[in-house]
């Protein structure tokens, strides 16, 4: 029986995130200060005090979520937790994969912050606002959603962006095609087909320009082998080779986040406990829906950290 750490993606941000960590732990304050310096912006002030519309901007939300995750990691490590000694593997949802790689030592904190700022800006600018869309399809089998996307693709790009598990698949692409797919999904028997309030069609072929931007950005940073395996989003399998890590991060921009399969990989490989490191508890909830044999804990407050340390080091 073993432990995995998971790292949340966009949507888990909230005004006030990280403030109690900064007030309680000098290691957390140091993380936020380093991220602020790397970005040349007082991002921590936006995280702690808002406004929400500024925090929600993709270029802010991505490095902000990473910062909270790494702040928690640095506190855990300062109190005796060794990732390589206690954790079998790590994984992150979309941008959370960068947090996982930073936690596992593949990227420096400053490089991770800058990469996520570039990623957020590139994803936002890849498609003019309003031309792309995403929709959550609830209660329809993956094969049926794939068929719906194939049919809708006659009118533009439409593909599965996230397989989140628990009967939830997110589709992404050009707005007319996604709207058609949502209607077809309802006709096929989906419980819900909900258009999402997002600023761009993430994880679709329309993100091609952003993928190239990330290829360029990643070519300019040092990448080390992670101290524990990282389960890559687009492969739902472990990766450790630095060049492979880079290639899969580029592929991830336009590819599918295979989160259901990632959690299933955990369960197949003797992982029994998941700790969600960072803001919110979205991944903890998804894990329970995907495989009830897994135990999940969200770790984002000083109390959560104390509880996690008592279990992991006790």
């Amino acid at each position: 029986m073993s432990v995995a750490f998971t790292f949340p993606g966009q949507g888990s941000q909230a005004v006030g995130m990280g403030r109690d960590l900064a007030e309680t732990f000098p290691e957390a304050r140091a993380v936020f200060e380093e991220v602020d310096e790397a970005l040349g912006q007082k991002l921590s002030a936006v995280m702690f005090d808002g406004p929400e519309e500024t925090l929600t901007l993709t270029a802010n939300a991505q490095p902000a979520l990473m910062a909270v995750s790494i702040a928690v990691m640095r506190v855990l490590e300062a109190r005796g937790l060794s990732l390589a000694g206690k954790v079998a593997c790590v994984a992150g949802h979309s941008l959370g994969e960068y947090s996982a790689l930073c936690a596992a030592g593949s990227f420096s904190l400053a490089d991770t912050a800058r990469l996520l700022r570039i990623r957020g800006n590139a994803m936002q600018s890849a498609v003019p606002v309003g031309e792309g869309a995403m929709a959550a399809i609830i209660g329809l089998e993956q094969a049926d959603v794939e068929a719906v996307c194939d049919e809708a693709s006659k009118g533009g790009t439409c593909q599965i962006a996230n397989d989140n598990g628990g009967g939830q698949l997110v589709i992404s692409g050009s707005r007319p095609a996604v709207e058609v797919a949502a209607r077809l999904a309802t006709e096929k028997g989906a419980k819900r087909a909900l258009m999402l309030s997002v600023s761009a069609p993430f994880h679709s072929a329309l993100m091609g320009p952003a993928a190239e931007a990330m290829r360029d950005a990643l070519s300019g940073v040092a990448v080390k082998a992670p101290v524990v395996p990282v389960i890559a989003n687009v492969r739902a399998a472990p990766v450790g080779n630095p060049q492979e890590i880079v290639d899969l991060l580029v592929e991830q921009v336009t590819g599918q986040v295979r989160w259901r399969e990632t959690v299933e990989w955990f369960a197949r490989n003797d992982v029994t406990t998941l700790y969600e490191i960072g803001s919110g508890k979205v991944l903890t909830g998804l894990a329970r829906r995907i495989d009830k044999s897994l135990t999940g804990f969200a770790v984002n407050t000083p109390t959560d950290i104390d509880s996690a340390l008592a279990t992991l080091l006790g």
Side-chain angles (χ1 to χ4, degrees):
M1 296 191 297
S2 55
V3 167
F5 280 8
T6 64
F7 296 83
Q10 205 160 334
S12 290
Q13 70 275 358
V15 172
M17 59 194 279
R19 186 196 290 119
D20 55 351
L21 298 174
E23 291 172 347
T24 308
F25 303 112
E27 299 87 0
R29 285 196 299 278
V31 168
F32 299 137
E33 288 166 3
E34 186 174 345
V35 169
D36 287 350
E37 183 177 352
L39 297 178
Q41 172 201 7
K42 195 75 170 171
L43 181 62
S44 58
V46 177
M47 294 161 56
F48 300 164
D49 301 314
E52 184 177 0
E53 57 270 22
T54 303
L55 177 60
T56 302
L57 292 172
T58 299
N60 289 333
Q62 294 197 17
L65 285 161
M66 181 277 299
V68 175
S69 291
I70 301 306
V72 173
M73 282 300 308
R74 294 282 169 85
V75 174
L76 292 171
E77 289 164 348
R79 279 144 187 79
L81 180 83
S82 167
L83 194 67
K86 291 292 184 180
V87 177
C89 54
V90 296
H93 191 286
S94 191
L95 83 89
E97 190 164 333
Y98 286 80
S99 307
L101 286 161
C102 182
S106 289
F107 295 134
S108 72
L109 174 59
D111 280 343
T112 310
R114 287 189 286 262
L115 286 168
L116 286 172
R117 170 57 53 83
I118 292 167
R119 186 178 185 267
N121 282 327
M123 292 174 108
Q124 188 58 65
S125 62
V127 179
V129 174
E131 291 190 10
M134 300 179 76
I137 310 299
I138 312 296
L140 203 60
E141 293 296 324
Q142 181 167 349
D144 289 328
V145 177
E146 288 173 348
V148 160
C149 288
D150 287 344
E151 177 66 22
S153 291
K154 295 172 183 175
T157 299
C158 187
Q159 66 193 80
I160 295 175
N162 300 346
D163 179 1
N164 287 331
Q168 182 194 103
L169 292 141
V170 177
I171 62 174
S172 182
S174 55
R175 179 169 293 277
V178 171
E179 289 174 343
V180 168
R183 175 177 55 78
L184 292 173
T186 301
E187 292 172 0
K188 270 190 174 286
K191 293 177 183 175
R192 292 188 74 190
L194 178 67
M195 298 298 291
L196 300 178
S197 178
V198 294
S199 56
F202 303 124
H203 299 291
S204 77
L206 297 178
M207 290 285 109
E212 290 309 306
M214 291 315 299
R215 189 186 305 279
D216 290 343
L218 286 158
S219 71
V221 302
V223 187
K224 298 177 182 177
V227 298
V228 295
V230 178
I231 313 305
N233 280 184
V234 295
R235 186 172 289 177
V239 58
N241 176 273
Q243 186 55 54
E244 197 172 19
I245 286 169
V246 168
D247 292 342
L248 294 177
L249 286 175
V250 172
E251 185 181 339
Q252 189 223 68
V253 179
T254 57
Q256 184 182 143
V257 176
R258 295 165 60 182
W259 195 253
R260 173 183 57 82
E261 293 170 83
T262 296
V263 174
E264 290 172 349
W265 187 94
F266 291 149
R268 285 197 310 274
N269 287 274
D270 205 31
V271 171
T272 56
T273 308
L274 303 179
Y275 287 86
E276 182 175 0
I277 307 298
S279 182
K281 53 185 179 181
V282 170
L283 301 183
T284 302
L286 289 178
R288 289 195 188 105
R289 293 204 290 273
I290 294 167
D291 191 319
K292 295 194 185 332
S293 71
L294 294 168
T295 302
F297 302 96
V299 185
N300 54 50
T301 68
T303 301
D304 294 338
I305 288 172
D306 288 343
S307 296
L309 287 169
T311 302
L312 289 166
L313 300 181

